[in-house]
């Protein structure tokens, strides 16, 4: 057995000496370290430095015989077991003691009759010993507690001050937790205080304060985040000495191997490397001295036995054994071992909240266990009952059918279970889980597999086994078939490789569908063997063997159909639509009686009943949701019965709500009867609406009792929502009452208008009469959308207000001065970070907290955030006392100076990172936080980081060289500009290292060691020899200097090294806290620093693990592999999990894939790779989804401990935050376990609190202030991650968002893992884990006092890529079953919270953009009337239309949309206001507005909306690599245009034309806002492009734009317009699956063909509606007569004119294409031989004709409109809508699938069709290509015109002097003096650029002049141009 050593042996010094405290009970009942006298029996060996020694692993050996019963010889083996003589001896077994040897039952097979045991286990109570008698009561042995107490007066005297919140520990008491900290000493606020006080009896006098080394942690081998490449501790301490720092007399000695070069040596040199040392016990809390129920050896024996019986892999067993023991060790460190084992079993298997127990009853397995499956009532009884003997202990079936009785029986069975069986069951589950691969995503499937395995283990067949089952049998027979089924659902083999099937989710049986098959007896009964027999017909003891014969392809079916349609919103959010639509109906119908009543008659009853129709509307919405539900739920008998019952009842309710209206409106409109019936109808309507709005739809018309078996699975797994506390529920209800309380248009004049003298040529007066009505309808719809937006507006306002008040309450605001966050900081460090209630007080609190504070300050100094001068002002220092006999501890003046303006001193750079971190540290400790446990009692936890291709460490080339020709600055130069102070500190530190290393040969003056002040004034005098330091950070090319610069840059970029080095602060924090809380440990080592470091390392390894899952590790480039190896050498404790793919074992088979774990202590093999610590074979490639979730899943088996923190590879952490880790883990409320067995009858299930599944944490976006875009992205994360989550967690709406959340390991891994993994559907994988935990009863909390750093995207493109990922991911979420379950089952207030915090935000974005478009359409209608009729202000006037009230409505709408947009800035402003003050918040908001961030917000809103709309129509959600680099490079115009034309630019340009029409016809100043909004949709990508307005680059961009338009017609080109155009239409047509091997095939992605039914609404119905609206408006303006030359009134047809101008260009293009096609076919074969660009010439000719045709038709339209600009623009709008609709119809109906290559396009233009590999397609392909080219010609003309218009709009800005400098200031927030320099070119290249720019600039100006002439000329010379209307009546 080869288990990696985790720390020193048991002989190592214990953290505390029990002899120094009063014992609290018999020794055998006290947890904690063994007595000191026992420890002294073994002499602690000396520990030389180096790495730990690992004996070579022997192949084929399982490990040691760890069962005591097996160690005395073969005759001691249990019956029916195998001999274990061949197993390798355990290194732990040599010194193992054997107490309780009289118990023969341990390690025995469960098949052994318990009756023969001399002392059987019967312990549902916790006993005091391993196999001793149980106590009579139910009490457990509580964890040991010191009884050190202080009076309140003595507390106050410790720090000479009183702090009420600290006296009461400042912490919230959780249910079941003991009172906190009475007697906790508080810290001092005085300036100085002697370390020892002889007059104070509270402190022992045997330890002097002078023995404390305030810089002890600083002297160790740890040198911060530069891992051995920093100045030595001696050099820096000398620097502190020179600044009058008093060093203590007692220092520690460290060997040279732990110096700064240690990290760069071979991996074998480490502090654990002595090969002569015995292996240390890695589980010090699970030892015989602690009276463990089973020893480590016995547990290992159990796992060996299970491995042999079930065929698990040996490495899986070794891995899970370590995980098992780590879990037991973690729990037993704070409770008794018996309690640890029992609670662990309760969490995994039998407890109230164990997922296995819940599944056991939901699937009615208790009935199955009684007498086989067919004993269940109502089941088929054809099976032979004689073969289904009842199981031992089964109760009578009539009794057992009661769920309560079954649960009681379960608890009795669990309470009677032996420790051995409990340990065995846990081991079996972990072994099954550890090798399950993708099946870990199926928690109930795992439960079923475990149940089969457990039944098999208890069967005689298992006990009769003689030979062990071959290794890997479990993987081959159970997991691999399931894996293959899952894989084959989404992938198929093509060309010997697996490729994604073209299936959407509705056709894929996914993880959730498979898992839900195991929820119910019906689902399990569908599992059949290959011989068609059902698995349930097999005896329960033989089902495990039968799993190998299951036909899984017939076992599963869809349990929820994720059809791609918008109708999911009708089902999931029915109550949202009812609340808004019905409320809007009530309001509008009541205020518009003129629409349905006769004003001359009293028709009050009619008004009442019409308003009351809101109830019918609510019922209709419910019916719509119900009909849609038929589409998504498989119509099984039970589902159909339920839906039909609801349908019948809803139809009855609908009749009740419509019959009175029919009676009143048709038969009795007046009178009292009508009034009474109407009022009664209104009352019924209110009741109907209230019921449907409040009650979840799944709870209507039928209830499911929680005590019955019916619907138990659905209730358990989809609706077990955690309950809110009373105060939190009231807060939730109050919040939504206020929101809707604040929610609670002049249309009559317009509705009654009739248009005079209006007649269409063909339709007559019909159109004119309905025009006002259509206008009113459009305005009604706009108001309804604004009504929806109004709710979200009030939600943001009230949620922000509540969150602000919550921040006041918690004390995280700067506006809580009574908290005195700085002056009381030392007191709070002592009270809240140190486990002082459990430590022997040997020093005054100030001495203890000073070490914490000094460590924090020094860590910031090592990160170059502080200079040495700042450090001196911030450190605690020991100075001689006035008497001279003692030293006095002098506190820094910092604590007082922060709240005393009279103290003038700079403690850190202004507005720096150090200031932010220290301020948050101080603020966070003023909030209530849980008590910490002592370090040796804290739970073990793991940090897990998934990594794909993120940068690990920046290379010198990346730092010192420009990225490409568009980059104007090196990365290092840019970082120096962003962090000038930190660079200065780094240079000074480097010069110290240079002097110390004797590399820098210059004078020592100025290097820092001499104590010379290195102020800015002195820096000016630095000689030229220092310039390399300030330029690149080093003068010598030695690795220790170049690596420092790389690290410095990497720590300020978004790199994995930053993440790893940051979260390794947990290890440093644990060491620091252990050292401070256990001063006797420091004394015990007598100044031997190496031995002390080994003890600290032991405790750190025991409590903290770090795993990076490097998915691509084996495919790394040389540089990436070197960086990964650097990480391992720098941090030997770091573990890397990766996938290792090996060739197939035999020809024709699949490759073999392993999950592998290595760390920095693994042996380096000759090939340079490290020997794996564990290597677990997988059933196949685990990356079946979008990557991240699968990457996490394969590595999660290597995590350890009770909790796991999920971190992304672009995060950071800090020492001061890592010090709070014990407090954060306390949020899980598992520190203090009740002293009663969870299986005790005294435990009422109602009293068992719901477990905490997830604890969220704040994120600080360290990329803020890096320009406007980085700051906007950071602001969004801050508001959502902090301000919003503060309230969401309070009112039960918070979910899991990935990082940096802490997860309850057992809770999450037994419920499907930390994320979900179905490709596409679970794109936003993290949130599904949160929804799963929430649905299954797990609480989700949020911690305000802890935060991690987080990087965010910085460039326009990368931010919007991330936005697109979120938007498409939300589209997938709307299809998911999670939204269905939560939307139809949550209580109203929690449903509203869930909706508006998650999907509501995105739907709100859709409504915002919809409101803009609808408002523009309303402007078309109103503008059409305003431009055609006379406007008057009084409706009484004749011959005119009163539009004044309409203008007022327009102004209100503009203001409403304005507020909805700008309310987005409110949360950020208040968040900044609360945490940094009014001035900082105002400055930040001002910088945002001055940097045009509102433009960006509008554009982001459109990208969100487009992403969801596109996803729900076409699908295609995928992970988008956003890129996290600094956005300093200029992006070419073409890339921006092609990226954002589809999502925004086309819409923006169409809307801009509408706005031009509105401005021309009915200008009001309020439209200025819409001009800003619409322009933002068009020019935002270019405004936020660095150096967009650099004159030369702008003109070169124009050249590239023309090239882009013309490329790709003669030869393939990646960047070409034709490639872009084909990509746009392939989301509708899809690609042909056949591949011909052309290189151009790589240009096409795997875009699935959209389903016609899915895209019918988005691609046909909605464009058709737009056509109707636009054409109606144009027809209306053409319905007024014009006089011809004879003076006669002539009526024209607007419809005919629109048709001509929409279809005309298409016809012309088709004719030109036909001619050119004939020419290419005839001339092509000859011309291609001499003219390579023949195809390009032909294409250019066709494109030129298309552009000219478009311009000619535009001018012709204008001329026909008598040069009326407004009417001409309206005609263009109508023509565009018609043409767009025609193209969509052509693409959908006539275009077949696209080839992945571009051969057909080139064949069309060159005329060469043969040799293209088209095969039979060559016959009809020209016809298809002809249709494509017709569409492409018009699209080309559109893109040509639109691209030029955008360039024309941007060009004037290029003429502004110094525009590039001002633009850069706006984007980067850098002063002009610090801005990026222009690029440096050679003289030749500079001349070439100028010539190119001027030549293309001339062409650009010519075209611009032509364009301006075509637009401005008719306006200026209108009177001189002919009026064609007099001659053409079209």
């Amino acid at each position: 057995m080869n288990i990696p050593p985790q720390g020193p042996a048991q002989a190592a010094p214990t953290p505390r000496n029990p002899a120094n405290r009063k014992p609290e009970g018999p020794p055998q009942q006290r947890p904690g370290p063994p007595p000191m006298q026992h420890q002294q029996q073994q002499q602690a060996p000396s520990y030389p430095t180096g790495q730990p020694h690992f004996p070579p692993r022997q192949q084929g050996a399982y490990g040691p015989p760890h069962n005591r019963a097996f160690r005395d010889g073969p005759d001691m083996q249990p019956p029916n077991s195998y001999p274990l003589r061949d197993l390798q001896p355990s290194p732990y077994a040599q010194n193992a003691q054997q107490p309780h040897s009289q118990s023969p039952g341990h390690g025995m097979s469960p098949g052994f009759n318990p009756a023969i045991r001399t002392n059987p286990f019967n312990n549902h109570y916790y006993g005091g010993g391993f196999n001793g008698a149980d106590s009579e009561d139910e009490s457990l042995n509580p964890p040991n507690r010191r009884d050190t107490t202080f009076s309140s007066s003595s507390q106050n005297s410790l720090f000479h001050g009183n702090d009420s919140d600290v006296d009461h520990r400042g912490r919230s008491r959780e249910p079941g937790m003991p009172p906190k900290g009475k007697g906790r000493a508080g810290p001092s606020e005085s300036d100085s205080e002697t370390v020892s006080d002889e007059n104070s009896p509270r402190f022992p006098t045997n330890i002097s304060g002078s023995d404390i080394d305030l810089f002890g942690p600083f002297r160790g081998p740890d040198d911060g985040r530069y891992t051995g490449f920093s100045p030595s501790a001696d050099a820096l301490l000398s620097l502190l000495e020179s600044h009058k720092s008093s060093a203590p007399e007692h220092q520690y000695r460290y060997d040279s191997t732990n110096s700064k070069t240690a990290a760069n040596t071979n991996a074998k040199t480490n502090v654990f490397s002595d090969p002569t040392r015995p292996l240390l016990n890695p589980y010090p809390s699970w030892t015989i001295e602690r009276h463990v129920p089973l020893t480590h050896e016995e547990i290992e024996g159990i796992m060996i036995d299970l491995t042999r019986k079930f065929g698990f892999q040996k490495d899986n067993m070794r891995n899970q054994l370590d995980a098992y023991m780590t879990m037991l060790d973690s729990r037993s460190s704070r409770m008794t071992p018996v309690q640890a084992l029992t609670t662990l079993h309760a969490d995994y298997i039998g407890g109230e909240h164990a997922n296995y127990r819940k599944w056991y009853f939901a699937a009615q397995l208790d009935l199955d266990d009684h007498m086989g499956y067919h004993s269940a009532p109502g089941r088929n009884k054809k099976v032979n009952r004689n073969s289904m003997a009842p199981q031992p202990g089964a109760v009578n079936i009539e009794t057992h059918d009661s769920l309560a009785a079954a649960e009681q029986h379960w608890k009795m069975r669990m309470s009677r279970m032996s420790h051995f069986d409990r340990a065995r069951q846990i081991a079996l589950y972990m072994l099954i889980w550890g090798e399950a691969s993708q099946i870990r995503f199926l928690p109930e499937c795992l439960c079923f597999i475990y149940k089969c395995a457990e039944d098999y283990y208890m069967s005689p067949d298992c006990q009769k086994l003689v030979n062990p089952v071959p290794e890997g049998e479990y993987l081959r027979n159970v997991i691999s078939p399931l894996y293959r089924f899952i894989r084959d659902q989404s992938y198929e083999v093509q060309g010997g490789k697996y490729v994604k099937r073209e299936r959407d989710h509705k056709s894929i049986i996914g993880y959730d569908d498979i898992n839900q098959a195991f929820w119910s007896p019906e689902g399990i009964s569908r599992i059949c063997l290959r011989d068609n027999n059902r698995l349930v017909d097999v005896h329960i003891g033989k089902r495990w063997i039968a799993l190998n014969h299951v036909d899984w392809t017939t076992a599963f079916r869809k349990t929820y159909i994720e059809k791609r349609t918008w109708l999911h919103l009708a089902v999931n959010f029915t109550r949202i639509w009812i609340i808004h639509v019905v409320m809007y109906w009530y309001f509008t119908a009541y205020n518009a009686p003129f629409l349905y009543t006769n004003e001359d008659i009293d028709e009050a009853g009619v008004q009442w009943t019409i308003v009351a129709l809101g109830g019918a509307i609510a019922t209709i919405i419910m019916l719509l949701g119900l009909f849609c539900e038929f589409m998504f739920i498989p119509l099984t008998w039970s589902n159909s019965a339920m839906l039909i019952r609801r349908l019948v009842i809803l139809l009855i309710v609908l009749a009740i709500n419509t019959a009175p209206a029919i009676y009143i409106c048709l038969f009795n409109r007046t009178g009292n009867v009508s009034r009474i019936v109407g009022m009664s109808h209104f009352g019924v309507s209110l009741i109907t609406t209230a019921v449907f709005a409040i009650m979840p739809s799944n709870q209507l018309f039928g209830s499911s009792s929680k005590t019955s078996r019916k619907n138990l699975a659905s209730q358990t797994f989809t609706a077990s929502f955690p309950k809110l506390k009373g105060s939190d529920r009231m807060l939730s209800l109050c919040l939504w009452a206020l929101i809707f309380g604040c929610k609670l248009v002049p249309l009559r004049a317009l509705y009654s208008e009739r248009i005079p003298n209006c007649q269409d040529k063909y339709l007559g007066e019909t159109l004119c009469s309905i025009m006002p009505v259509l206008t009113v309808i459009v305005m009604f719809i706009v108001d309804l959308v604004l009504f929806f937006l109004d709710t979200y507006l009030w939600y943001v306002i009230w949620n922000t207000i509540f969150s602000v008040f919550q921040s006041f309450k918690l004390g995280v605001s700067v506006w809580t001065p009574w908290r005195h966050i700085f002056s009381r900081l030392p007191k709070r460090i002592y009270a809240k970070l140190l486990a002082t209630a459990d430590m022997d007080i040997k020093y005054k609190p100030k001495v203890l907290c000073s070490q914490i504070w000094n460590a924090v300050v020094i860590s910031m100094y090592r990160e170059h955030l502080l200079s040495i001068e700042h450090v001196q002002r911030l450190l605690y220092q020991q100075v001689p006392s006035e008497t001279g006999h003692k030293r006095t501890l002098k506190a820094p003046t910092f604590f007082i100076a922060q709240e005393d303006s009279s103290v003038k001193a700079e403690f850190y750079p202004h507005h720096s990172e150090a200031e932010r971190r220290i301020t948050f540290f101080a603020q966070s400790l003023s909030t209530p936080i849980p008590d910490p446990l002592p370090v040796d009692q804290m739970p073990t936890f793991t940090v897990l980081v998934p990594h794909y291709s993120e940068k690990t460490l920046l290379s010198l080339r990346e730092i010192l060289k420009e990225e490409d020709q568009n980059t104007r600055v090196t990365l290092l130069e840019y970082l120096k500009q962003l962090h000038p102070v930190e660079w200065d500190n780094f240079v000074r530190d480097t010069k110290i290292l240079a002097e110390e290393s004797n590399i820098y040969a210059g004078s020592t003056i100025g290097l820092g060691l001499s104590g010379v002040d290195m102020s800015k004034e002195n820096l000016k005098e630095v000689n030229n020899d220092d310039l390399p330091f300030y330029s690149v950070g080093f003068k010598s090319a030695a690795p220790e200097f170049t690596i420092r610069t790389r690290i410095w840059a990497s720590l300020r970029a978004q790199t994995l090294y930053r993440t790893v080095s940051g979260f390794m602060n947990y290890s440093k924090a644990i060491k620091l806290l252990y050292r401070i809380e256990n001063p006797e440990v420091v004394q015990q080592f007598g100044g031997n620093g190496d031995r002390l470091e080994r003890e600290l390392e032991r405790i750190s390894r025991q409590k903290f693990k770090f795993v990076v899952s490097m998915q691509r590790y084996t495919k790394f480039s040389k540089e990436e592999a070197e960086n990964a190896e650097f990480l391992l050498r720098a941090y030997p404790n770091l573990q890397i999990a990766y996938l290792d793919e090996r060739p197939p074992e035999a020809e024709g088979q699949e490759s073999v894939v392993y999950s592998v774990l290595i760390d920095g202590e693994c042996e380096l093999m000759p090939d340079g790779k490290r020997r794996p610590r564990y290597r677990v074979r997988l059933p196949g490639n685990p990356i079946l989804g979008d990557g991240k979730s699968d990457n996490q899943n394969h590595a999660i088996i290597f995590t350890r401990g009770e909790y796991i923190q999920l971190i992304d590879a672009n995060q950071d952490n800090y020492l001061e935050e890592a010090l709070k880790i014990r407090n954060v883990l306390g949020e899980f409320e598992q520190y203090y376990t009740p002293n009663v067995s969870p299986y005790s009858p005294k435990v009422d299930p109602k009293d068992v609190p719901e477990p905490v599944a997830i604890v969220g944490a704040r994120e600080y976006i360290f990329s803020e202030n890096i320009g406007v875009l980085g700051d906007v992205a950071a602001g969004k994360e801050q508001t959502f991650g902090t301000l919003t989550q503060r309230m969401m967690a309070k009112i039960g709406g918070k979910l899991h968002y990935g990082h940096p959340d802490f997860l309850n390991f057992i809770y999450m891994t037994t419920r499907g893992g930390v994320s979900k993994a179905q490709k596409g559907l679970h794109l936003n994988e993290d949130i599904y884990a949160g929804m799963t935990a929430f649905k299954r009863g797990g609480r989700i909390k949020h911690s305000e006092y802890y935060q991690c750093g987080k990087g965010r995207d910085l460039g326009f493109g990368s931010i919007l890529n991330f936005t697109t990922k979120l938007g498409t991911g939300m589209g997938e979420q709307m299809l998911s079953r999670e939204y269905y379950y939560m939307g139809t089952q949550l209580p109203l207030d929690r449903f509203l919270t869930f909706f508006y915090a998650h999907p509501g935000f995105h739907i709100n974005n859709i409504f915002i953009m919809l409101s803009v478009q609808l408002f523009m359409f309303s402007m078309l209608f109103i503008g059409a009337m305003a431009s055609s009729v006379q406007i008057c202000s009084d409706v009484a006037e004749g011959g005119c239309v009163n539009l004044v009230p309409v203008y007022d409505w327009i102004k209100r709408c503009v203001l409403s949309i304005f507020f909805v947009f700008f309310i987005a800035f409110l949360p950020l402003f208040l968040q900044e206001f609360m945490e940094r003050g009014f001035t900082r918040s105002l400055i930040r908001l001002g910088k945002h507005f001055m940097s045009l961030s509102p433009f960006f917000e509008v554009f982001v809103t459109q990208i969100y909306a487009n992403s969801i709309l596109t996803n729900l129509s076409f699908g295609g959600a995928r992970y988008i690599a956003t890129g996290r680099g600094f956005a300093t490079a200029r992006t070419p115009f073409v890339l921006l245009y092609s990226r954002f034309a589809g999502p925004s630019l086309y819409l923006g340009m169409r809307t801009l034309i509408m706005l031009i029409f509105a401005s021309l016809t009915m200008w009001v100043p309020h439209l200025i806002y819409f001009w800003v909004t619409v322009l933002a949709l068009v020019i935002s990508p270019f405004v936020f492009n660095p150096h967009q307005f650099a004159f030369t680059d702008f003109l070169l961009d124009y050249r590239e734009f023309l090239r882009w338009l013309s490329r790709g017609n003669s030869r393939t080109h990646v960047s070409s317009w034709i490639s872009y155009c084909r990509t746009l239409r392939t989301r509708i047509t899809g690609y042909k699956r056949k591949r011909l091997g052309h290189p151009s095939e790589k240009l096409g992605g795997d875009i699935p063909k959209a389903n016609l039914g899915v895209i019918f609404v988005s691609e046909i119905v909605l464009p058709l509606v737009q056509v109707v609206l636009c054409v109606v408006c144009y027809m209306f303006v053409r319905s007024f007569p014009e006089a011809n030359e004879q003076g006669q009134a002539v009526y024209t047809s607007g419809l005919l004119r629109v048709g001509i101008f929409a279809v005309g260009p298409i016809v012309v293009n088709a004719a030109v294409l036909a001619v050119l096609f004939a020419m290419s076919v005839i001339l092509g074969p000859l011309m291609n031989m001499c003219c390579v660009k023949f195809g390009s010439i032909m294409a250019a000719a066709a494109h030129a004709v298309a552009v000219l045709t478009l311009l000619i038709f535009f001018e012709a339209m204008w001329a026909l409109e008598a040069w009326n600009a407004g009417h001409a623009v309206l005609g263009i709008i109508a023509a565009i809508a018609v043409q767009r609709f025609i193209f969509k119809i052509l693409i959908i109906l006539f275009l077949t699938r696209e080839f992945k290559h571009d051969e057909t396009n080139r064949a069309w233009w060159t005329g060469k069709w043969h040799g293209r590999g088209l095969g039979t397609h060559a016959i009809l392909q020209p016809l298809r290509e002809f249709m494509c080219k017709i569409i492409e010609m018009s699209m080309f003309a559109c893109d040509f015109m639109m691209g030029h218009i955008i360039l024309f709009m941007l060009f004037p800005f290029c003429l502004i002097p110094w525009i590039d400098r001002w633009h850069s200031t706006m984007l980067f927030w850098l002063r002009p003096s610090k801005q990026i320099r222009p690029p440096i070119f050679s003289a030749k290249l500079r001349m070439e650029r100028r010539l190119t720019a001027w030549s293309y600039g001339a062409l650009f100006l010519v075209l611009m002049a032509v364009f301006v002439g075509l637009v401005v000329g008719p306006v200026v010379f209108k009177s001189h141009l002919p009026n064609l209307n007099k001659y053409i009546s079209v």
Side-chain angles (χ1 to χ4, degrees), residues 106 133 147 475 641 798 901 987 1286 1410 1460 1494 1496 1572 1724 1769:
H106 288 279
D147 56 351
L475 181 70
W798 281 110
S901 58
V987 169
R1286 182 184 298 141
L1410 179 63
V1460 169
F1496 183 72
V1572 173
V1769 171

Side-chain angles (χ1 to χ4, degrees), residues 1420-1436:
L1420 287 185
F1421 279 86
I1422 299 171
M1425 289 193 294
S1427 65
S1428 304
V1429 299
Q1430 183 180 355
I1431 301 174
C1432 54
S1433 57
D1434 189 354
V1435 71

Side-chain angles (χ1 to χ4, degrees), residues 1718-1729 1734 1805-1808:
M1719 293 175 59
S1720 67
V1721 171
I1722 297 171
L1723 301 178
L1726 297 176
M1727 297 299 296
N1728 285 317
M1729 298 174 62
F1734 174 72
W1805 296 118
T1806 61
K1808 182 183 177 182

Side-chain angles (χ1 to χ4, degrees), residues 903-998:
V903 179
K904 303 295 183 183
E906 182 184 87
F907 296 97
Y908 32 60
H910 191 50
H911 290 175
S912 64
E913 175 70 356
E915 178 184 10
R916 182 198 66 79
R917 282 171 54 177
I918 291 175
T919 301
F920 178 78
F921 181 59
Q923 283 181 344
S924 66
L925 293 186
S926 68
T927 64
I929 61 178
D931 281 333
L933 285 178
V935 172
D936 55 347
Q937 295 180 20
M938 70 175 285
T940 302
F941 72 102
T942 299
V943 170
L944 177 61
V945 179
H947 175 272
Y948 183 69
S949 60
E950 294 87 348
K951 279 290 180 185
T952 301
L953 190 70
L954 297 176
S955 65
L956 273 182
R957 180 182 181 85
E958 292 169 319
I959 294 172
L960 302 179
K961 184 175 173 53
E962 287 91 348
E963 183 179 351
D964 53 43
Q965 62 179 1
N966 296 315
T967 306
R968 296 192 167 202
V969 66
T970 66
L971 178 58
L972 183 62
E973 287 296 326
Y974 185 57
L975 289 173
K976 285 158 62 176
Q977 298 291 347
L978 292 176
H979 311 284
V981 175
E982 296 172 26
W983 176 253
D984 183 50
N985 293 336
F986 170 76
V987 169
R988 296 172 66 180
D989 201 33
T990 304
K991 291 163 72 178
I992 294 173
L993 177 64
E995 178 181 320
E996 185 184 14
S997 304
N998 293 322

Side-chain angles (χ1 to χ4, degrees), residues 42 280 293 315 321 821 870 1009 1019 1119 1132 1231 1614 1636 1668:
Q42 302 178 11
L280 309 176
D315 272 22
L321 173 63
I821 62 172
H870 294 138
L1009 292 181
L1019 286 177
E1119 179 187 344
Y1231 277 2
V1614 177
L1636 305 178
V1668 171

Side-chain angles (χ1 to χ4, degrees), residues 1023-1037:
N1023 55 41
N1024 291 335
D1025 288 341
D1026 291 342
L1027 290 179
F1029 288 115
Y1030 290 96
S1031 176
V1032 294
F1034 55 86
K1035 186 176 181 182
S1036 167

Side-chain angles (χ1 to χ4, degrees), residues 1444-1488:
V1444 174
V1446 178
Y1447 285 3
D1448 294 336
W1449 175 86
I1450 292 172
K1451 296 174 184 178
R1452 283 196 299 273
C1453 284
V1454 173
L1455 289 176
S1456 299
I1457 298 174
F1458 172 83
F1459 281 120
V1460 169
F1461 261 120
F1462 279 83
I1463 202 66
F1465 291 94
L1466 176 66
L1468 176 62
F1469 174 79
L1470 289 180
Q1471 173 72 10
E1472 194 79 358
F1473 174 74
M1474 295 302 298
E1475 298 197 353
R1476 299 181 184 177
F1478 178 75
T1479 304
R1480 294 280 294 274
S1481 62
L1482 204 60
I1483 291 174
R1484 187 174 187 184
L1485 198 63
K1487 289 166 73 174
H1488 277 209

